[in-house]
Amino acid sequence: MITTAHIRSAFDADLEKIQNLILEMGGLVEAQIDESAEALQARDEERSAEVIKKDKRIDALDHAIDLEVVRVLALRQPIAQDLRTVVTVMKISSNLERIGDYAKNNAKRTPAISHSQPVGSSPATIKRMARMVQDMLRDALDSYIKRDLDLAEDVRQRDEEVDLIYNGLFRELLTHMMEDPRNISCAMHLLFVAKNIERIGDHITSIAEQVIYTVTGELPEEDRTKGADTSYADFAPDKN
């Protein structure tokens, strides 16, 4: 005879499996952010090629999580907070996959600038931005595992600083391009890199907001302060 306790135990086991996949995926994505930034700063084309190659593992985990979520929804038919948890897992996975794409796209920029001179403070600024979003991602995933609303809200608010740093770098790179046309090609690539990192921060913010939804059943009512005010074109990450 199948009891409620057995059903609960089976659901918990399924959820633990999915969450372990999320944590594995999150660890890989966090490493990708770091590796792509380091490869760019060192002008290391071999290292950037490894980042591009490893993105396939992130895509595979995203697919595996989708399959597990569909199976759990079909077999366990969760309701209330259990349903929110399962839906949140799927959305976190989707955000992580997108973050991985942005890191991969940054790695693809390395060969294009590998023989160019650094432009202004961009190397240090991009590395700082990458480190900030790495820390945000780590805390966002911790907030999910611990169901820590305060930490999730902290992550959500920290994205404003990433936006502000991006704004400053955007203006600096434009200035260098106007002062010396020889900077244009490299600076344009760096603008794309910085924008990708800024978008990574947005996806991490989305993860934090999903944590808040999981715990409370509601998304944050107040829009967070958005520091990015440039009109620079925003492109979706390359999926190839």
Side-chain angles (χ1 to χ4, degrees):
M1 180 178 177
I2 299 177
T3 64
T4 301
H6 287 141
I7 294 172
R8 179 77 244 177
S9 177
F11 175 79
D12 288 344
D14 288 337
L15 185 60
E16 182 178 2
K17 179 180 178 181
I18 295 172
Q19 290 186 153
N20 286 338
L21 291 173
I22 282 286
L23 292 178
E24 181 183 355
M25 190 178 181
L28 288 174
V29 170
E30 183 184 332
Q32 288 284 83
I33 296 170
D34 179 60
E35 287 295 315
S36 63
E38 291 290 340
L40 190 77
Q41 186 174 48
R43 307 294 204 265
D44 189 334
E45 295 186 33
E46 290 185 5
R47 197 169 182 178
S48 66
E50 283 298 310
V51 173
I52 295 167
K53 182 179 178 181
K54 289 177 182 177
D55 185 64
K56 292 181 180 179
R57 175 58 183 162
I58 294 171
D59 292 343
L61 283 168
D62 180 49
H63 181 63
I65 290 167
D66 282 349
L67 292 177
E68 284 298 316
V69 166
V70 170
R71 186 181 69 83
V72 169
L73 289 173
L75 293 179
R76 311 302 178 198
Q77 298 181 351
I79 59 174
Q81 186 168 6
D82 287 343
L83 179 59
R84 295 202 303 271
T85 299
V86 174
V87 171
T88 294
V89 165
M90 187 166 56
K91 291 186 176 181
I92 290 175
S93 176
S94 177
N95 278 292
L96 288 174
E97 191 273 335
R98 294 275 298 212
I99 293 169
D101 284 339
Y102 282 117
K104 176 189 66 177
N105 287 355
N106 280 353
K108 287 181 176 181
R109 300 277 170 183
T110 299
I113 68 169
S114 61
H115 301 294
S116 302
Q117 292 297 316
V119 181
S121 69
S122 61
T125 303
I126 286 173
K127 186 173 183 179
R128 180 186 174 196
M129 288 179 68
R131 189 169 295 162
M132 289 176 67
V133 296
Q134 265 187 282
D135 291 342
M136 287 172 60
L137 177 57
R138 188 181 306 116
D139 287 345
L141 293 174
D142 281 348
S143 74
Y144 170 70
I145 296 301
K146 298 174 183 177
R147 302 299 193 266
D148 188 332
L149 289 175
D150 290 337
L151 184 57
E153 182 59 31
D154 179 61
V155 170
R156 187 170 174 262
Q157 296 303 323
R158 275 151 58 189
D159 186 53
E160 181 184 1
E161 186 175 357
V162 177
D163 294 340
L164 292 172
I165 294 172
Y166 166 71
N167 289 343
L169 182 58
F170 176 89
R171 295 186 179 96
E172 179 188 346
L173 290 172
L174 284 184
T175 299
H176 283 291
M177 285 190 282
M178 289 187 290
E179 289 178 348
D180 187 346
R182 290 174 296 182
N183 290 324
I184 291 176
S185 178
C186 182
M188 284 298 296
H189 285 292
L190 293 173
L191 282 173
F192 275 96
V193 168
K195 185 61 181 179
N196 285 343
I197 297 175
E198 189 268 334
R199 290 294 293 135
I200 285 173
D202 290 341
H203 282 284
I204 295 169
T205 298
S206 178
I207 291 174
E209 290 174 347
Q210 288 302 318
V211 173
I212 294 170
Y213 170 73
T214 299
V215 177
T216 67
E218 298 179 354
L219 288 169
E221 292 184 3
E222 295 182 3
D223 290 337
R224 65 186 175 86
T225 303
K226 187 69 178 156
D229 62 0
T230 65
S231 59
Y232 189 68
D234 185 12
F235 295 94
D238 179 10
K239 305 295 290 183
N240 296 321

